[in-house]
Amino acid sequence: QVQLVESGGGLVQAGASLRLSCAASERSLGPYTIGWFRQAPGKEREFVAVIRWIGGTTYYADSVKGRFSISRNNTKNTVYLQMNSLIPEDTAVYFCAASLASGTTWKEAYDYWGQGTQVTVSS
C-alpha cells in the first residue's frame, strides 16, 4: 500500500509559480510511475504530468508543456511539480498518484491516490 500526501497548493495571481510536492510512504518507488492529475469543478480528472521512478522519463499534457516540470528526489521519496506561468485555466485540485504501469497517462491505471491540493489562479 502506497500512501501519497500532496502539499504546496495555494492562491496565486496569473503569471506566478507554485511547486507542488508529493511525499510517498513507500520505501522504494522503483517499480512505480508517479503521475500528477488535476480536476477542475464540473470537469473530468485529467492527466498533467508523469515520471517513471527508474530512469526519470517524463511526459506532459500539451496544455502544460513548457510551463510545468515534474521531478523526483530519490532520497526523500518525493515527486515535485514545478508550475510556472500559471493561468486561470490551471485552477483545479491537483492529485498525485502511483501506478505499476510504466509511464502511463491513463488515470484508470493508477491504484494509489493522494487527497489532493487546491491550486487557484486569479486573473
Side-chain angles (χ1 to χ4, degrees):
Q1 184 86 8
V2 179
Q3 293 182 328
L4 303 169
V5 179
E6 303 96 334
S7 61
L11 170 63
V12 296
Q13 289 189 331
S17 298
L18 278 176
R19 189 177 79 159
L20 305 183
S21 299
C22 172
S25 62
E26 187 75 4
R27 283 187 180 180
S28 173
L29 289 172
Y32 292 95
T33 285
I34 305 298
W36 283 98
F37 295 80
R38 67 186 182 187
Q39 188 165 17
K43 293 189 176 181
E44 292 282 326
R45 191 170 299 187
E46 65 175 6
F47 163 72
V48 175
V50 67
I51 185 167
R52 292 178 181 170
W53 196 259
I54 294 178
T57 305
T58 59
Y59 303 98
Y60 297 91
D62 288 343
S63 59
V64 306
K65 204 171 292 183
R67 300 188 297 122
F68 290 13
S69 177
I70 188 171
S71 62
R72 73 197 189 293
N73 183 312
N74 292 357
T75 302
K76 295 183 177 180
N77 276 356
T78 299
V79 172
Y80 304 99
L81 184 68
Q82 178 67 42
M83 306 186 296
N84 299 325
S85 301
L86 284 161
I87 59 177
E89 289 76 15
D90 295 320
T91 295
V93 178
Y94 283 71
F95 300 89
C96 66
S99 172
L100 288 172
S102 181
T104 183
T105 64
W106 190 44
K107 63 180 182 293
E108 287 78 5
Y110 285 78
D111 297 310
Y112 306 104
W113 291 83
Q115 82 288 350
T117 185
Q118 176 71 47
V119 172
T120 304
V121 184
S122 63
S123 58

